[in-house]
Amino acid sequence: MKNKTSVFFCTECGNEVSKWAGRCPACGAWNTIVEQASPGTAAPSAKGRSAMLPRAKARRLNDLDAAEELRFPTGMGELDRVLGGGAVKGSLVLVGGAPGIGKSTLMLQICSQLCLSNRVLYVSGEESPHQLKLRAERLKVTDGDLLVLSETRFGDVLESVNEEHPDVLIVDSIQTLYNDELDSPAGSVAQVKDCTMALMQLAKSQGITVFIIGHVNKEGSIAGPKVLEHMVDCVLYFEGDQHMTYRILRAAKNRFGATNEIGVFEMQNEGLAEVPNPSELLLSGRPIDVPGTCVTCVMEGARPVLAEVQALLAPTAQSNPRRTSNGFNYNRAAMLMAVLEKRGALRLSTCDAFLNVIGGLTLDEPAADLAAILALASSYLDKPIGSRVAAIGEVGLTGEVRSVSNLGQRLSEVQRLGFESCIIPKRHADQLDSIKGLKLISVSNIVDALREIARS
């Protein structure tokens, strides 16, 4: 018997190496190299797929009409926003996230609207048709002519597509599909990449809009979306704690629209409900006149979102104070604490420090620096900032407050939510148009910002 050889893949970037290593030489990630059986029958598999798919013909670029790239609504405004205005015909969209976060629920919910004007085929490798029917009734997906198929063999899926000729194909999930001409098991890197490549050819050749669901754990280290991001047109990630009701759908890649766009949903008994005003949602239940809290405005794609940053500082008897950050980059939080101690003359080194962003939102842009600084100082001084005061600005190592992009759009959102004052960088402050009902407090460094806390 011929010995089976093995190949090694990086589950983070998909790079193939000849032997196992602790660190991927391509992306530098640690402990992401996994061993898989060599797909010795890959060539027959590719040949078999090509026989089932129609051959595409070359066309002159000048002869193509841009109107052929038609968008159509999915039935959920938040999903359409993340996709850039709706789904594009012939696109391949990857919806990733941890198991149980709500990916299958979202895909089944949009079928109710899609079936009104499109032929939709829902392929599930995890549920039987009867289970899909029960879940659809719970989500009130009863309108339209939805086709369901419970199958894991990829060849049978392709045959059903050729028989039914759907306009929209939903695959739940890509880890359950397998090509029996490959030796590797279902869910392996080889199987996932092979099936996704075939789905991409199917979408481009027949103009079918394909949604594929991929599961990842919190580290994103298993085979799935991380090795498929370069193959698909759009990558959407569901974020949020499974024990919380709110979910954030974020576009990590989009060939037909802006990236870093977000859609906000609330998980209810009858499925996912859209949240058209996430700023109001994230600020609901905010304590009034309590030290250690400050509101900022960040840009999520083209949407300004208000977020509450909370800080808690408590004296410690330990030689190494504890530092904890949730929803805020840990290294940046440590840097801001050092700046506050050096430039603001606050002895944070004698305190345990905890920084938290309310609502499960992750702040990854520098515009939230000033709000974090003020929340930390407010907790340290035990003096509230004011419930109607917001802060926007980037903080440098010398304590200066720098301007941020889209400041006018951020201030409009701050005013719309009923805030009376906003602390902003002094630079470019004179260039802003006055906003009715909103007092602008310009500061050049964190010392000026701390004085505003003392005056409040």
Side-chain angles (χ1 to χ4, degrees):
M1 178 181 295
K2 183 179 179 180
N3 294 330
K4 294 183 179 181
T5 60
S6 298
V7 293
F8 297 87
F9 291 92
C10 173
T11 57
E12 188 72 19
C13 65
N15 180 54
E16 182 177 340
V17 293
S18 59
K19 60 181 181 180
W20 185 89
R23 184 180 186 184
C24 175
C27 65
W30 290 92
N31 298 324
T32 58
I33 303 295
V34 296
E35 181 181 5
Q36 299 289 349
S38 177
T41 58
S45 171
K47 182 178 180 180
R49 283 201 315 265
S50 301
M52 301 184 67
L53 298 177
R55 179 178 176 271
K57 296 182 179 180
R59 301 172 63 184
R60 289 175 56 88
L61 180 63
N62 293 335
D63 295 339
L64 298 177
D65 185 5
E68 294 181 5
E69 293 296 329
L70 298 178
R71 288 186 181 271
F72 57 91
T74 62
M76 302 195 75
E78 291 296 297
L79 178 58
D80 291 340
R81 171 192 288 271
V82 177
L83 290 173
V88 177
K89 181 180 178 181
S91 62
L92 181 61
V93 181
L94 172 64
V95 182
I101 203 70
K103 304 180 298 299
S104 301
T105 299
L106 176 64
M107 289 295 99
L108 189 56
Q109 279 187 252
I110 67 175
C111 291
S112 179
Q113 181 68 24
L114 289 176
C115 287
L116 299 180
S117 56
N118 300 276
R119 190 172 178 84
V120 183
L121 175 60
Y122 191 104
V123 179
S124 176
E126 302 175 349
E127 298 176 282
S128 66
H130 181 69
Q131 292 172 329
L132 282 173
K133 176 63 176 179
L134 293 177
R135 188 155 61 92
E137 290 179 348
R138 179 176 63 86
L139 300 177
K140 297 183 178 180
V141 182
T142 57
D143 298 332
D145 187 16
L146 175 62
L147 302 174
V148 296
L149 174 66
S150 180
E151 184 58 65
T152 58
R153 184 175 176 272
F154 188 68
D156 295 338
V157 174
L158 286 181
E159 291 180 359
S160 297
V161 171
N162 292 331
E163 292 175 359
E164 303 295 342
H165 302 288
D167 300 310
V168 179
L169 173 65
I170 300 175
V171 178
D172 182 13
S173 66
I174 191 64
Q175 277 93 354
T176 61
L177 292 185
Y178 72 94
N179 187 341
D180 51 8
E181 295 183 352
L182 295 179
D183 293 333
S184 52
S188 63
V189 176
Q191 288 281 6
V192 168
K193 293 178 68 175
D194 183 83
C195 294
T196 304
M197 181 63 70
L199 290 174
M200 181 184 68
Q201 296 174 0
L202 181 69
K204 305 307 178 185
S205 62
Q206 300 188 19
I208 302 175
T209 303
V210 181
F211 291 90
I212 58 176
I213 296 176
H215 300 301
V216 296
N217 58 16
K218 292 183 178 180
E219 293 77 22
S221 59
I222 63 175
K226 286 300 180 181
V227 299
L228 304 180
E229 289 183 352
H230 68 285
M231 302 170 61
V232 301
D233 297 315
C234 301
V235 179
L236 310 181
Y237 276 108
F238 248 125
E239 301 174 355
D241 192 343
Q242 297 183 21
H243 304 289
M244 299 180 63
T245 59
Y246 302 118
R247 302 287 190 268
I248 295 177
L249 183 65
R250 187 184 303 272
K253 173 187 177 182
N254 192 351
R255 289 174 179 165
F256 313 109
T259 57
N260 294 325
E261 226 20 285
I262 68 166
V264 183
F265 301 87
E266 182 178 3
M267 181 64 77
Q268 300 178 351
N269 293 333
E270 297 179 353
L272 290 167
E274 299 179 74
V275 181
N277 192 350
S279 297
E280 186 176 357
L281 170 69
L282 294 173
L283 296 181
S284 61
R286 180 170 177 248
I288 305 300
D289 295 329
V290 175
T293 176
C294 186
V295 173
T296 187
C297 185
V298 296
M299 296 298 298
E300 295 290 352
R303 168 189 282 184
V305 176
L306 266 62
E308 179 186 357
V309 182
Q310 289 188 346
L312 176 63
L313 274 73
T316 180
Q318 304 295 328
S319 57
N320 294 323
R322 186 176 180 182
R323 301 285 186 261
T324 302
S325 176
N326 182 29
F328 201 95
N329 184 269
Y330 176 82
N331 293 328
R332 193 161 191 88
M335 182 195 75
L336 294 177
M337 294 179 195
V339 172
L340 187 57
E341 181 164 3
K342 179 69 175 180
R343 309 299 178 186
L346 301 183
R347 297 193 60 187
L348 303 187
S349 59
T350 62
C351 301
D352 291 332
F354 305 89
L355 200 63
N356 181 43
V357 180
I358 299 300
L361 194 66
T362 300
L363 305 184
D364 55 0
E365 68 164 320
D369 290 352
L370 185 57
I373 285 281
L374 294 179
L376 290 166
S378 173
S379 179
Y380 181 87
L381 300 173
D382 199 25
K383 185 175 179 61
I385 297 175
S387 59
R388 295 299 177 184
V389 180
I392 304 171
E394 178 183 358
V395 177
L397 291 179
T398 62
E400 80 280 10
V401 179
R402 296 178 174 269
S403 183
V404 296
S405 61
N406 301 310
L407 188 56
Q409 189 175 357
R410 299 173 195 259
L411 294 176
S412 298
E413 181 72 6
V414 170
Q415 186 272 339
R416 190 181 67 84
L417 267 294
F419 285 81
E420 301 173 354
S421 304
C422 186
I423 304 176
I424 63 174
K426 189 173 184 179
R427 186 182 181 185
H428 304 313
D430 298 336
Q431 303 176 7
L432 293 172
D433 297 332
S434 60
I435 300 178
K436 185 178 180 180
L438 182 64
K439 178 184 178 182
L440 301 181
I441 304 174
S442 59
V443 296
S444 57
N445 51 56
I446 64 172
V447 176
D448 295 341
L450 295 179
R451 290 197 188 104
E452 295 299 329
I453 297 181
R455 295 173 184 171
S456 61

